[in-house]
């Protein structure tokens, strides 16, 4: 066990998989000598060499398309987007090629796209994207979004071993902000399995990524100030969803708050809410509530961004309303 | 850095000096040319009979380009054909039955009915078909070329794009990547005078598509795409170059789309004179005449070839028509690999 | 009044707006002499000339970006995608530029993107897209999806007059399949207003586009065979949603089937379900149900495509289950 | 069709033969050069003080390119600057206060705090700032050029991209469109040797970026981007050409990014010798020396200029620092226009 940051956990997971399997290679912008904009791949070039750590031209369509091509012929590329926002520049490759390869061609497409995501760092409209909902709607992807160093390492390893295109959302605000115990022995976190990060009885929070930490804080507040017991379900995988875990929690508590940092409308919270309504109808004691960013681009100024984003305080208010329902 | 010449029309000197086409190869090529032409005619007939599931795209006029280029490949090389390159599929080893099944959307087709026409992959033959989005296969071809380079496979990736499709951003990004990394990739721009209804004069302002090669520091050629020998030899040189680790080549193959954009398109917008002009350069006729002149092809061989082609087509058509559609519930499986 | 097809209604609406306002112009592939792949703009070039009907190079990023640029400086471009599927090739322009222009720059971006959408014509995975959910999730767009010739004309006219980027989904299967009465006088269908296409009391179907017609057929079946009275709410606008109309219907019937042709998971049905659960919780007599395409790419073979798509029969089954709940 | 020459280094002959720079213009240019340099130094200082909201991108080394090019525009022309073109904003008439407010994300900034740095638009000045996605503004610039053409406005759209960003597909599609339609657009590729940490040798395999012009049938130039006069004159010729309806021009301006990629980047990956070499061509020093040599600039004028620059900067900085952030609830409004 080592107490390491979220970003170190990603690096370690990548490193171990590259050691384990020579078909794994990295490609992206500035990932070589520079080690990437966030330094996830620092030292990789020196250790693994130029054939495993491939610095590319500045061109996301080429990166994502090349990753898809290499995957189709049996390599295991891990493509880095410098910021998740820039995945839009190669969108067609992902939704048209990568996602449909197996369905149409019956060939695995074992690739990973690393997406440094999320707001709260004053990045403004174009360095703050949470891109999950677009790909969540495209059959063919797996999508994971770890909240802890343990999950970050376990999921990057699982993503690399998976035979499908996996979108790996790494929240930039967690990179150096969150530390945790991570085994140094080999382990994976199974894709498609959520994790109850706090057990509770009165309200379920269904969430993932950076919001898990706010949910845990909000749960403390509710416990201490209102005596309300909150269960925090960390999805970890957005696709496939661990619906059984969600339903189990909802059947127990009867009240749900779905929380994501992404814009509310059309976010994956809508789907989760619809699934819960459909499958847990008779267990619900209150309407399924959602919290997320308001429906605007991510604004730049600190005052605006704070208003825009969900946070612990806003969650506390939503939970108190639910508790009172 | 080697300075790319804007366009070289001559065949670059080979290191092996071994681009001679044997008699046997000539006859093989002739067979593929005839087969492709007749296969596509069959497709059009099936289309008119309402047996094709979706649209039907044919490459009448493009046979020499498709066949000459694919003939330059070896078994280990990767082919990413476009919608007018049926001949390339055949040369690379694809069976008529499989191609027919694809067009008829049958359950035993390579795509199991999930996609049609040339939209399939056959890893054993290293054929990876296109998707509809023009240009979208080229980044994948670059990726396969990259894989080949990283694994030291010595395999080349050959791909195609139309005069219209060449304007899609994917083409540029792929050429930028492939040229910088010296990937073993060849891109053939099939300039067949039209992109659907749009004449090539509305797709480009430069003289020729090979003028774009210089912008990536790679060799560029503009060639008569109805000349089977020329296509083969240029491509062979490009393959050799790619295999030697010297990087990609851009080839503009100038041809004419002799049919409509797809089977439903009467192509009234195409000036008749243009068709008359190009008819004289019909690639199938050209090779036939050449081989007759060379006395490689005799009337007897020709007739045998035709018999073989029609028999094979008969077989494939019947086989495909008799094959069932996939079971409906099959639609739900296979989004993910295990 | 004239009895015309859905596609004629679109053409007429375009034509009238071009006559009315000289800042309206069209751009796209093959739209000039050829009149477009579906012939929506047939005869336009001859009448309006080359400066109003602009044939472009084959390049969706350029088309959508150029439309955005022209709109920002006061033109009213109407861009045609030859098939909705190809909007993925210019995705970045739309979600990054067009959608955010007003929020970030405070300048209107009055553009329309025409998207020939939908499956059921054996187009296979790449000529069958229903692209709405991606853009529904991006703040900044309006999205409309007419089901009748009347709405098609009224909405294209409203879209052109709107000062925002409007995505106009025209269902290819309706083009020559559906006829209806359309006024020859000037009128618009207001964006953001749905329409009850059939009044009923027992179950609400919330739907749009081609599914409206299946809903009406299914409603007939339910009425005749089961004596169940179905209300059919045609959204017409997907963004903004006419939530009041939805809630009103649900409050009346207490049971809801949301129907769209798009893949279910992550489709806009999830959002609508979540909104209904949240705002009509105490009125619901049954779980909110959804019907849509299964979660795969659109398959090519007729047998597969039929299994993949929702249809009247499947709606009838879903409605009967709801009725029995 | 006119055949584009691969690269022309000389200034094309003007029809007006009127590219002479007056003394007054020289002094204006000098002022902008100094102002830009000092403005960006202020930004870096504010960044170190934690006053900039996000990242801070500066154009040290790029001043002549930004200023010389924008100086070639008229009032009716459209400017689409990139992140290293602060000087272009200033030349086109933007106030220091507004630029400062943008960087500090204040509520009274042109973007009202919704976006930062040069990411704003000022329709009155016809400035349309970039978004972060490299290349994404160029299709918009093409659209504005198209609007200008359709409305017979006689206005030109000038835009920029980096050596790295030039590989993005948007650039290719825009040049394809602009060249075919002969749109009044100018694209400057600012080759400043690096794209973030990546040296330009890993972004291109051809000799120079202007080699791409031929691939669109448009004129291409590669020039010393530290030479203010040269940049101005080439751009003036390109503007004239565009205004005459002859279509776009591609200009590669060769410079050096003398700072890190952004304020947080120490740029350890840049060889020190390269910086030393380029320091000798510092564009601000170059123009200063030239004007001194020409006796247009005297010590007195220089001191006055400096005083003015510092006073203006002082004013703008104070004004921006004193301005409030937007009210939080403001975030919710304005997604749609009425
Ligand atoms: C990205 C994209 N945009 C539009 C289309 C629609 N489309 C299909 S084929 C075609 C014309 C293609 O012309 P060209 O590239 O010259 O190839 P050709 O058919 O002439 O061989 C168009 C516009 C498409 N398939 N993909
Ligand atoms: C499409 C896209 N991909 C990646 C990035 C991240 N990024 C921002 S600036 C930059 C380097 C840009 O280099 P260059 O284009 O040469 O411009 P320079 O900064 O050197 O002026 C990168 C990779 C981006 N902004 N947009
Ligand atoms: Mg063509
Ligand atoms: Mg650069």
């Amino acid at each position: 066990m080592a107490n390491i940051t979220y970003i170190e956990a990603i690096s370690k997971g990548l490193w171990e998989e590259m050691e384990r399997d020579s078909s794994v290679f990295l490609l992206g912008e500035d990932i070589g000598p520079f080690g990437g904009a966030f330094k996830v791949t620092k030292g990789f070039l020196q250790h693994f060499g130029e054939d495993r750590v491939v610095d590319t031209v500045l061109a996301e369509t080429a990166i994502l398309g090349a990753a898809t091509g290499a995957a189709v012929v049996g390599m295991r590329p891990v493509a880095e987007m410098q910021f998740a926002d820039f995945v839009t520049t190669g969108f067609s490759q992902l939704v048209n090629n990568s996602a449909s390869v197996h369905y149409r061609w019956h060939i695995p497409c074992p690739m990973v796209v690393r997406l440094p995501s999320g707001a709260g760092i004053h990045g403004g409209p174009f360095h703050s994207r949470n891109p999950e909902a677009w790909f969540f709607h495209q059959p063919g992807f797996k999508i994971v979004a770890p909240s802890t160093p343990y999950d970050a390492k376990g999921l990057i390893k699982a993503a690399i071993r998976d035979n499908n295109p996996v979108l790996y959302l790494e929240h930039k605000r967690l990179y150096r902000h969150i530390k945790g115990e991570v085994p140094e022995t080999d382990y994976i976190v199974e894709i498609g399995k959520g994790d109850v990060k706090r057990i509770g009885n009165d309200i379920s929070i269904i969430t993932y990524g950076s919001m898990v930490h706010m949910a845990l804080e909000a749960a403390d507040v509710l416990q201490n100030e209102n005596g309300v017991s909150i269960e925090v379900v960390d999805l970890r995988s957005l696709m496939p969803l661990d619906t059984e875990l969600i339903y189990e929690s909802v059947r127990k508590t009867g009240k749900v708050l779905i929380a994501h940092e992404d814009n509310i409308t059309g976010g994956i919270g809508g789907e989760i809410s619809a699934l819960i309504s459909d499958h847990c109808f008779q267990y619900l004691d209150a309407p399924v509530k959602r919290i997320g960013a308001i429906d605007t681009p991510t604004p730049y100024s600190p005052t605006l961004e704070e208003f825009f984003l969900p946070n612990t305080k806003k969650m506390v208010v939503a939970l108190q309303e639910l508790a009172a329902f | 850095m080697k300075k790319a010449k804007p366009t070289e029309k001559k065949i670059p000197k080979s290191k092996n000096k071994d681009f001679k086409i044997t008699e046997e190869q000539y006859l093989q090529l002739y067979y593929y040319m005839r087969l492709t032409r007749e296969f596509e005619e069959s497709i059009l007939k099936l289309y008119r009979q309402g047996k094709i599931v979706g649209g039907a795209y044919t490459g009448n006029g493009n046979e020499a380009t498709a066949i000459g280029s694919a003939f330059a490949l070896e078994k280990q090389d990767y082919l990413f054909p476009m919608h007018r390159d049926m001949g390339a599929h055949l040369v690379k080893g694809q069976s008529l039955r499989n191609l027919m099944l694809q067009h008829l959307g049958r359950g035993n087709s390579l795509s199991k009915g999930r996609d049609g026409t040339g939209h399939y992959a056959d890893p054993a033959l290293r054929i990876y078909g296109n998707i509809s989005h023009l240009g979208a296969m080229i980044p994948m071809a670059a990726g396969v070329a990259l894989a080949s380079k990283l694994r030291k496979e010595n395999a080349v990736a050959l791909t195609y794009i139309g005069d219209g499709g060449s304007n899609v951003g994917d083409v540029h990004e792929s050429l930028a990547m492939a040229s910088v990394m010296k990937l073993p990739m060849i891109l053939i721009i099939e300039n067949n005078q039209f992109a659907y209804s749009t004449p090539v004069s509305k797709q480009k302002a430069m003289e020729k598509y090979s003028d774009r090669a210089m912008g990536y520091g790679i060799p560029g050629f503009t060639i008569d795409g109805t000349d089977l020998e020329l296509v083969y030899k240029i491509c062979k040189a490009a393959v050799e170059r790619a295999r030697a680790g010297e990087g990609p080549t851009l080839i503009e193959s100038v041809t004419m789309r002799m049919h409509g954009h797809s089977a439903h398109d009467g192509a009234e917008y195409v000036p008749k004179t243009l068709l008359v002009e190009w008819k004289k350069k019909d690639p199938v006729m050209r090779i036939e005449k050449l081989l007759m002149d060379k006395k490689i092809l005799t009337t007897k061989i020709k007739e045998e070839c035709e018999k073989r082609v029609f028999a094979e087509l008969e077989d494939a058509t019947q086989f495909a028509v008799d094959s069932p559609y996939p079971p409906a519930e099959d639609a739900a499986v296979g989004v993910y690999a295990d």
Side-chain angles (χ1 to χ4, degrees), chain A residues 117 119-121 171-178 210 214 261:
Chain A
S117 315
I121 52 155
H171 200 293
K172 301 189 294 286
R173 203 153 37 74
L174 300 184
Y175 272 159
R176 293 178 169 83
H177 194 69
I178 296 287
S210 70
M214 294 178 196
E261 191 189 285

Side-chain angles (χ1 to χ4, degrees), chain B residues 264-283:
Chain B
H264 79 274
D265 172 27
E268 293 79 10
Y269 48 82
V270 174
K272 294 290 159 288
T273 50
L274 206 58
L275 290 169
V276 170
E277 218 36 64
W278 279 91
K279 186 78 198 150
K280 295 179 199 152
K281 305 221 286 176
D282 181 308

